[in-house]
Amino acid sequence: RLGREPAAFGLAERLSLAVIHEDDRIVRERGVIEVARSQVRPAALRRLASAREALEIGSLLGYSTVQIARVANHVVALDPHEGYPEDNPRPTLHAFMENLELEAVRDKVTPIIGNDDMLMMMRSCWFGFCFIDATGRYKDTRRILERVIRVMNTHGTICVHDCGHPDWPGALDAVNDFAVEHCVHFTMVDRMAIFKDIDCTRLPGGR
């Protein structure tokens, strides 16, 4: 395995791999991958995640996971993989794992099956980069941000996707409120809000 893997995830990874969905009808779904490619700036992700221990919250089929894994030391990818799209949900784990294999980054990714409640179990792990691509809703985004600062290191960078998206205005609202409350600055790259190199250990709620 390349890079350093948080030791606490060894058992969780084995459990994750044990519940891979075996529905052969789930394929790579190029349409969704193409949508992801158009909305995520891979160069920005790679620049921010380079040579860091990375945490991804919301992987879907793995486009952003692959971009981060190509340059990060290691990626912990957290997603329930319960189904997509919402109006006709199909589990996404099989396609996600297949994409990691096809892009030759499987050995750099630890998939964790679950929601952001899992962050409360990761307090011993400090990450240098976090990419949040969750529901885009205010309540979810704000809660995840408050939980993420518990597991970031002293110069961590947090990136929140879908900020300014017309369908999910809650993401940017949550980012703005988080920035005001914690007196931290963020910049925007297209629809990604970036808190760069902040000392999360000094924020209320941080370690």
Side-chain angles (χ1 to χ4, degrees), residues 157-197:
T157 292
I158 301 172
C159 180
V160 184
H161 194 220
D162 289 329
C163 290
H165 195 293
D167 293 337
W168 301 295
L172 184 56
D173 290 342
V175 164
N176 278 317
D177 286 353
F178 177 85
V180 169
E181 180 173 330
H182 293 290
C183 298
V184 290
H185 175 71
F186 69 91
T187 58
M188 293 291 299
V189 175
D190 292 331
R191 288 177 176 164
M192 294 194 300
I194 302 168
F195 296 93
K196 192 172 188 300
D197 295 331

Side-chain angles (χ1 to χ4, degrees), residues 16-26 81-82 90-97 113:
S16 299
L17 294 178
V19 296
I20 291 176
H21 196 276
E22 296 297 339
D23 188 345
D24 291 336
R25 293 173 299 172
I26 300 175
H81 290 289
E82 292 174 339
R90 288 179 291 170
T92 56
L93 180 59
H94 184 86
F96 171 73
M97 299 296 292
I113 313 305

Side-chain angles (χ1 to χ4, degrees), residues 25-204:
R25 293 173 299 172
I26 300 175
V27 294
R28 203 162 186 229
E29 300 191 47
R30 295 298 308 181
V32 178
I33 293 291
E34 292 299 334
V35 169
R37 180 176 289 110
S38 69
Q39 295 180 349
V40 176
R41 292 289 181 176
L45 280 181
R46 291 195 295 265
R47 182 175 66 254
L48 294 168
S50 180
R52 298 196 182 203
E53 304 297 332
L55 170 65
E56 179 183 55
I57 302 173
S59 304
L60 193 57
L61 299 180
Y63 178 73
S64 56
T65 318
V66 168
Q67 301 304 317
I68 296 168
R70 284 174 175 164
V71 297
N73 291 339
H74 195 81
V75 184
V76 172
L78 175 63
D79 194 299
H81 290 289
E82 292 174 339
Y84 181 88
E86 288 185 346
D87 60 350
N88 183 28
R90 288 179 291 170
T92 56
L93 180 59
H94 184 86
F96 171 73
M97 299 296 292
E98 184 180 66
N99 285 330
L100 298 185
E101 294 286 354
L102 288 170
E103 299 298 332
V105 295
R106 174 62 190 92
D107 60 346
K108 294 187 69 178
V109 179
T110 296
I112 303 295
I113 313 305
N115 58 28
D116 60 278
D117 289 340
M118 296 291 291
L119 294 173
M120 308 305 290
M121 303 169 60
M122 298 182 188
R123 296 194 60 168
S124 62
C125 304
W126 285 16
F127 296 95
F129 175 73
C130 177
F131 180 60
I132 301 172
D133 190 6
T135 64
R137 301 184 181 98
Y138 177 90
K139 184 177 180 180
D140 295 335
T141 305
R142 186 63 193 275
R143 182 186 66 251
I144 291 170
L145 280 167
E146 296 295 343
R147 289 179 169 182
V148 157
I149 62 176
R150 298 169 178 263
V151 299
M152 301 299 290
N153 64 22
T154 56
H155 297 286
T157 292
I158 301 172
C159 180
V160 184
H161 194 220
D162 289 329
C163 290
H165 195 293
D167 293 337
W168 301 295
L172 184 56
D173 290 342
V175 164
N176 278 317
D177 286 353
F178 177 85
V180 169
E181 180 173 330
H182 293 290
C183 298
V184 290
H185 175 71
F186 69 91
T187 58
M188 293 291 299
V189 175
D190 292 331
R191 288 177 176 164
M192 294 194 300
I194 302 168
F195 296 93
K196 192 172 188 300
D197 295 331
I198 60 175
D199 187 353
C200 292
T201 64
R202 294 182 178 272
L203 301 181

Side-chain angles (χ1 to χ4, degrees), residues 1 5 9-17 106 109-112:
R1 184 175 298 280
E5 177 179 352
F9 296 132
L11 176 59
E13 180 182 5
R14 290 195 294 273
L15 292 175
S16 299
L17 294 178
R106 174 62 190 92
V109 179
T110 296
I112 303 295

